[in-house]
Amino acid sequence: MPFLYAQSLAATWLAASVPQRSASSEARLHGICMLIASQLEPTYARTVYPCFDEPAMKATFNIRIVHDPSYVALSNMPAIDVSEMKDENGSLWRVTTFNTTLKMSTYLTAFVICDFDYVTRTERGNEIRIWARKEAVKNGYVDYALNITGQIFSFLEDLLNVSYPLPKTDLVALPDFGAGAMENWGLMTFQESSLMYLPSDKFTSRKAMIAIIVSHEIGHQWFGNLVTMNWWNDLWLNEGLASYFEYLGATFVEPKLSLDKIFSDHVVQPVLREDNEIGVRSLSESEDKIKGSLMSLFDSITYNKGASVTWMLSGFLTEKLFIRALTLYLKEFSFLNADQDDLWTHIQMVVDAQDEVQLPASVKQIMDSWTCQNGFPVLTLNLTTGTISQEQFLNKKNGNSTNSYNNTWIIPISWMRNGSSQPLVWLDKSSKVFPEMQVPESEYDWVLLNVNLSGYYRVNYDQLNLKRLLRLLENDPKAIPAVSRFQLIDDVFALTEFGYIQIETALELTKYLAREDELFIWNLVLLNLVPENLESTLKNYEVYPLLKKYLLKRMLPIYHYYAGFIRENVDALEDDYFAQVYLEKLFATACWLGLQDCLNLSSELFAKWMENPEYKIPFLIRRTVCCYGVAVGSDKEWNFAWEMYNHTDTTKEDKDILLSAMSCAKESWLLYRYLQYGLSDALFSCNCTSIIILSVVTKDIGHRIAWEFVTENWPLLSERYGKELLHDVLKVMGRFVNTDVQIQELQVFYNTTLEEDERVATTLLLEFTKFENMERRELLTKVANWLQKNVDD
């Protein structure tokens, strides 16, 4: 379903099937293009036609659409007849009749009525058509999608050994589609940006995004469409498996993408950050536990945890056995429904039929421990005794005593010793001794668990092993695989945040970074050391000059490597996916830390743009260049940014960048003027005022100015944006609240503007923020003390 699990749109195509006065004819007279598209997952089919709208109640569908003759109608199957009819007013209508569908769930029926054009190609008897606005088709914007769609279909057919059963597949690019993308059988729908690629764009990141999304929806043709979950409580069988195969398909058509790095960075790491609160649900729930809207199931647990657990399963079974089991499962349940036990049964059949892979328990016992329990484990290794223990990873700072949670998992542990991969071992109880992992204190041997993040868990090493890993990183970082370095850093910062280890331990692991050349690892480090929401407040602490000295010393090698490309030949980075995704954060941090070369580079590129408005600042660092071009400039640079913002040719993306950049000004009067401009009709009507206020309030010199502006103009702002704006502003202002006096100052204002219940909620918010700030100050004092001792290392 909705890729990115966005809000589903209710189906609105019913009007197209009922002859009435031709609104579209009138619309055409006024130059308006009309478009109707359906989105029926999860339970909107019932709002369109009478049906038993349950995924297990599969049926065949005969679909006929009556529509304006100047439009084309599309549905799941090919059209078999097109005729015309007149209604009682004498208006002419076209009737498109489609072939009977295969047996399928109601939520997959789909309809589009549009006046789009298409490009087409036939792959193994499957007629593939990509539909989009005529101009976009003519300019070649959907050619890339056409090139990869057939390849991904063939790749999955060959991999799974199950043929695609439809004679045609339409992919439609919709200008506005809240669901992101939808896998309707034979008629997939996409947000335009998910399907269109400008031929002039040399960089692979856009291609990669399109390949990932298209691959996800094609994966659903097997997992979801051919075999559907019995009910929504096992939605992960659709979405988790499609999210796993999306990366296999994308790296097949874009082989320069690194599968394990992208999967770890985009899928496993983000969900490990979310799946650790007591209230988070398990991957598979019993039906009676599903309360409220089904839309809440379309979340990162279903998608990312589902894909991560699938990745782990494929890893310990071997991909060969895993795919063999999936083929059995797909053939057994084609045009039917299944639950997760059916999948486990078919994997078990394959495991039982061979003797290469031995499991410590049944597939069901192993996998239920991952899908039917919430959260995940953290493993603790004692190198001296070779003992590994497990417990649920929970926030110890919240008073969560892990003793009260008896969750245990059956855990596959991939590991290496001194750089050599070792045979997989299993932890199937709360603690176990592994003699092969015992390393005496006198030796230099090191052990690494969960190599390349193959398992869905975190690892907590004892000080002995951590010291050895740290020594290894400083001498030879490449001895540890890149994904394992990424995971080591992510684990230590998460363990710090949740009270398992001290911040000093995590900081020790950053000493080697001058030798780290992987941008996705640097991005992770910077997100932990310089979180975006704290940039404005960190400058108020004594930690800033120390952090500046410590970090810049380590950042310079990778900064200069990429700055060289920016200055000399940015096109040489066209295949460097992570540079396109994460270089911005590296450069923004370098400028924020006051690196003179970064500030100079921003000024140079911004000046170049001012001299020639046709010049394009490299998109990899455009946001940073615009921000610091304005910051180190005067009103001249600011006025140019304002002029370009108002320029009719400026794209929406560049307008967003400029809207933010103008809040980077370092002179108070410019910020105040900017906020005043925000009240002008043009900006006020496009709802940009609140964006401007929130941009200014997050800047180190802007938060007081923005607060004064909000209080002075509250009647007007309140009428336009309501209490939500005040709530957002207060959340940011809260970062600067350290004393009761500061809270009272804010209270004076909102006591006169909010209702009593809102006042209580806001006071609680500020009290909580003050507590958070006190905790942060303690933490930053520890960081500052550590930096003081290590800044010259």
Side-chain angles (χ1 to χ4, degrees):
M1 168 194 181
F3 186 81
L4 307 182
Y5 28 94
Q7 185 59 43
S8 175
L9 298 179
T12 54
W13 49 262
L14 187 57
S17 60
V18 182
Q20 52 188 289
R21 187 169 176 198
S22 177
S24 52
S25 310
E26 289 183 16
R28 276 198 320 281
L29 290 173
H30 296 94
I32 300 167
C33 169
M34 291 185 75
L35 167 71
I36 293 168
S38 64
Q39 168 60 35
L40 304 189
E41 189 180 27
T43 54
Y44 296 109
R46 65 191 70 175
T47 66
V48 179
Y49 56 87
C51 59
F52 295 107
D53 196 9
E54 294 288 346
M57 293 188 174
K58 291 191 170 185
T60 58
F61 298 85
N62 292 305
I63 294 167
R64 190 177 65 137
I65 299 179
V66 182
H67 56 98
D68 185 289
S70 56
Y71 286 72
V72 66
L74 304 171
S75 188
N76 304 82
M77 299 298 284
I80 51 170
D81 182 62
V82 179
S83 58
E84 291 186 337
M85 63 171 275
K86 285 187 176 175
D87 62 18
E88 66 261 26
N89 299 321
S91 296
L92 190 67
W93 291 82
R94 180 165 293 163
V95 182
T96 303
T97 305
F98 299 91
N99 214 337
T100 303
T101 71
L102 301 177
K103 194 175 167 194
M104 65 186 204
S105 301
T106 46
Y107 76 85
L108 291 168
T109 50
F111 309 77
V112 171
I113 294 95
C114 62
D115 67 346
F116 286 175
D117 210 342
Y118 67 90
V119 287
T120 183
R121 181 175 297 173
T122 299
E123 180 99 6
R124 297 184 181 178
N126 174 13
E127 186 194 1
I128 295 162
R129 297 183 296 185
I130 317 277
W131 297 80
R133 288 179 292 116
K134 291 185 167 95
E135 195 67 16
V137 172
K138 189 173 139 196
N139 290 335
Y141 293 173
V142 292
D143 290 356
Y144 176 70
L146 182 68
N147 290 339
I148 63 169
T149 298
Q151 290 180 53
I152 296 169
F153 264 110
S154 297
F155 167 72
L156 288 175
E157 277 191 332
D158 293 342
L159 183 66
L160 299 166
N161 196 21
V162 177
S163 297
Y164 178 66
L166 297 189
K168 72 92 181 172
T169 308
D170 290 314
L171 289 77
V172 186
L174 301 169
D176 186 18
F177 185 50
M182 177 66 204
E183 70 267 18
N184 315 301
W185 222 356
L187 179 58
M188 293 182 250
T189 45
F190 297 80
Q191 172 72 32
E192 259 186 6
S193 59
S194 306
L195 210 55
M196 286 190 187
Y197 177 75
L198 278 59
S200 59
D201 185 351
K202 292 190 181 71
F203 294 97
T204 53
S205 56
R206 285 278 314 145
K207 280 186 183 174
M209 197 257 303
I210 293 166
I212 286 168
I213 295 173
V214 169
S215 197
H216 179 96
E217 304 312 329
I218 294 175
H220 272 308
Q221 308 307 300
W222 285 267
F223 301 100
N225 298 8
L226 184 65
V227 179
T228 313
M229 75 269 142
N230 266 330
W231 199 66
W232 304 102
N233 60 314
D234 268 337
L235 178 61
W236 82 270
L237 291 175
N238 279 22
E239 298 300 349
L241 285 163
S243 297
Y244 170 79
F245 280 103
E246 80 188 48
Y247 288 92
L248 270 62
T251 50
F252 173 74
V253 292
E254 291 295 339
K256 286 178 180 164
L257 297 174
S258 164
L259 174 62
D260 58 346
K261 289 176 189 174
I262 288 185
F263 195 85
S264 305
D265 183 78
H266 289 15
V267 181
V268 190
Q269 191 267 345
V271 73
L272 284 173
R273 286 269 159 183
E274 279 185 46
D275 188 22
N276 47 39
E277 296 301 326
I278 294 166
V280 174
R281 63 181 177 81
S282 58
L283 192 52
S284 179
E285 297 268 21
S286 58
E287 291 185 22
D288 57 344
K289 280 193 178 170
I290 306 291
K291 302 277 192 287
S293 165
L294 292 175
M295 285 311 301
S296 65
L297 297 174
F298 293 88
D299 62 3
S300 66
I301 296 294
T302 294
Y303 285 70
N304 288 1
K305 184 174 184 176
S308 303
V309 166
T310 304
W311 178 269
M312 178 173 67
L313 173 61
S314 173
F316 72 71
L317 284 175
T318 70
E319 191 180 39
K320 185 177 76 175
L321 289 188
F322 178 57
I323 296 296
R324 193 183 297 166
L326 286 182
T327 301
L328 268 184
Y329 164 80
L330 288 168
K331 287 183 173 172
E332 174 85 17
F333 294 101
S334 288
F335 308 107
L336 299 171
N337 297 75
D339 59 26
Q340 70 170 17
D341 280 355
D342 294 316
L343 179 58
W344 305 155
T345 301
H346 284 73
I347 295 173
Q348 190 68 56
M349 285 159 61
V350 166
V351 170
D352 292 345
Q354 55 80 57
D355 50 18
E356 281 172 49
V357 175
Q358 299 296 321
L359 301 179
S362 71
V363 173
K364 178 175 166 56
Q365 283 173 301
I366 294 169
M367 293 311 298
D368 279 1
S369 76
W370 297 95
T371 61
C372 298
Q373 298 184 121
N374 68 333
F376 59 87
V378 54
L379 270 54
T380 301
L381 168 66
N382 181 320
L383 203 61
T384 312
T385 62
T387 306
I388 299 180
S389 57
Q390 63 162 298
E391 60 184 282
Q392 183 161 1
F393 185 68
L394 290 168
N395 195 338
K396 293 191 169 189
K397 290 179 179 174
N398 293 345
N400 289 325
S401 148
T402 39
N403 301 338
S404 54
Y405 295 90
N406 294 320
N407 288 0
T408 53
W409 287 261
I410 302 177
I411 306 169
I413 304 173
S414 58
W415 66 293
M416 58 166 51
R417 180 169 174 155
N418 300 340
S420 300
S421 291
Q422 305 295 317
L424 186 81
V425 295
W426 289 85
L427 179 63
D428 53 3
K429 48 188 157 200
S430 57
S431 154
K432 196 170 173 181
V433 174
F434 295 90
E436 63 269 43
M437 292 191 198
Q438 278 180 358
V439 178
E441 287 197 31
S442 57
E443 295 178 19
Y444 287 106
D445 290 19
W446 53 271
V447 167
L448 189 73
L449 303 185
N450 198 13
V451 179
N452 280 333
L453 199 47
S454 53
Y456 186 69
Y457 52 89
R458 293 198 183 280
V459 179
N460 185 10
Y461 295 104
D462 60 7
Q463 284 298 318
L464 179 65
N465 198 47
L466 265 179
K467 277 186 181 135
R468 292 178 182 183
L469 289 172
L470 176 59
R471 188 187 300 123
L472 179 69
L473 285 170
E474 289 180 331
N475 294 328
D476 182 16
K478 296 286 165 86
I480 296 177
V483 170
S484 287
R485 299 199 301 275
F486 171 83
Q487 168 204 349
L488 260 174
I489 288 169
D490 191 47
D491 281 354
V492 292
F493 278 105
L495 288 162
T496 299
E497 191 184 331
F498 274 37
Y500 288 79
I501 61 175
Q502 295 300 312
I503 183 66
E504 292 85 351
T505 306
L507 292 168
E508 288 288 332
L509 216 57
T510 65
K511 284 181 171 179
Y512 89 96
L513 283 168
R515 301 191 63 178
E516 182 54 76
D517 59 3
E518 291 279 2
L519 261 180
F520 81 114
I521 296 175
W522 263 106
N523 185 63
L524 183 72
V525 170
L526 297 177
L527 288 175
N528 280 290
L529 289 181
V530 190
E532 273 169 36
N533 64 342
L534 288 186
E535 282 187 5
S536 48
T537 43
L538 277 176
K539 284 200 172 177
N540 298 345
Y541 292 92
E542 66 276 21
V543 75
Y544 177 77
L546 295 165
L547 193 61
K548 173 177 178 171
K549 189 174 177 185
Y550 179 82
L551 257 185
L552 282 181
K553 186 176 172 183
R554 285 156 180 80
M555 282 173 74
L556 281 177
I558 194 167
Y559 168 83
H560 283 306
Y561 173 78
Y562 281 107
F565 284 111
I566 296 290
R567 284 193 165 99
E568 305 298 328
N569 180 19
V570 74
D571 288 351
L573 297 175
E574 64 181 54
D575 289 327
D576 188 337
Y577 173 77
F578 284 118
Q580 292 154 52
V581 183
Y582 293 140
L583 195 58
E584 189 85 73
K585 176 69 180 170
L586 185 86
F587 271 68
T589 308
C591 281
W592 178 77
L593 289 167
L595 179 63
Q596 199 55 51
D597 187 74
C598 185
L599 298 171
N600 293 347
L601 180 60
S602 298
S603 289
E604 285 164 28
L605 296 178
F606 198 82
K608 216 168 168 182
W609 187 32
M610 286 175 71
E611 284 162 26
N612 173 19
E614 297 300 306
Y615 168 72
K616 286 266 181 257
I617 296 169
F619 96 92
L620 287 74
I621 57 164
R622 194 173 295 163
R623 189 171 286 275
T624 301
V625 167
C626 289
C627 174
Y628 286 93
V630 167
V632 297
S634 63
D635 55 336
K636 189 171 78 169
E637 281 74 11
W638 196 98
N639 292 337
F640 176 76
W642 177 249
E643 187 188 321
M644 294 312 291
Y645 174 81
N646 289 298
H647 205 283
T648 49
D649 290 345
T650 304
T651 64
K652 183 187 180 308
E653 197 179 355
D654 282 346
K655 277 183 183 285
D656 290 344
I657 287 171
L658 288 166
L659 209 56
S660 169
M662 288 183 282
S663 69
C664 298
K666 294 293 182 200
E667 295 188 51
S668 304
W669 71 270
L670 278 173
L671 290 177
Y672 192 76
R673 187 182 72 177
Y674 186 31
L675 289 163
Q676 289 294 343
Y677 281 5
L679 293 178
S680 68
D681 288 345
L683 286 173
F684 209 56
S685 60
C686 76
N687 282 345
C688 296
T689 319
S690 64
I691 298 168
I692 293 171
I693 293 168
L694 291 170
S695 292
V696 173
V697 81
T698 53
K699 300 297 184 292
D700 42 355
I701 67 158
H703 73 278
R704 296 299 313 172
I705 297 165
W707 176 248
E708 283 166 19
F709 176 80
V710 167
T711 53
E712 284 167 19
N713 296 282
W714 183 245
L716 186 58
L717 293 169
S718 170
E719 189 184 322
R720 179 80 196 175
Y721 298 106
K723 304 290 191 302
E724 207 173 306
L725 173 65
L726 182 61
H727 192 263
D728 288 344
V729 170
L730 281 169
K731 250 197 295 199
V732 180
M733 287 299 294
R735 294 178 205 156
F736 302 91
V737 169
N738 294 306
T739 64
D740 290 333
V741 172
Q742 288 169 314
I743 288 184
Q744 284 161 10
E745 189 189 337
L746 297 178
Q747 275 177 327
V748 169
F749 170 69
Y750 67 73
N751 278 346
T752 60
T753 55
L754 297 178
E755 303 298 323
E756 189 178 347
D757 57 335
E758 291 170 319
R759 287 204 295 271
V760 172
T762 307
T763 303
L764 284 172
L765 171 79
L766 289 175
E767 286 290 353
F768 176 69
T769 311
K770 186 185 86 170
F771 171 72
E772 270 191 330
N773 292 348
M774 282 161 61
E775 273 202 330
R776 186 181 303 120
R777 199 182 305 152
E778 279 176 36
L779 181 70
L780 290 176
T781 303
K782 284 184 183 176
V783 173
N785 290 339
W786 184 90
L787 286 170
Q788 196 85 52
K789 293 175 199 151
N790 294 278
V791 76
D792 294 319
D793 282 8

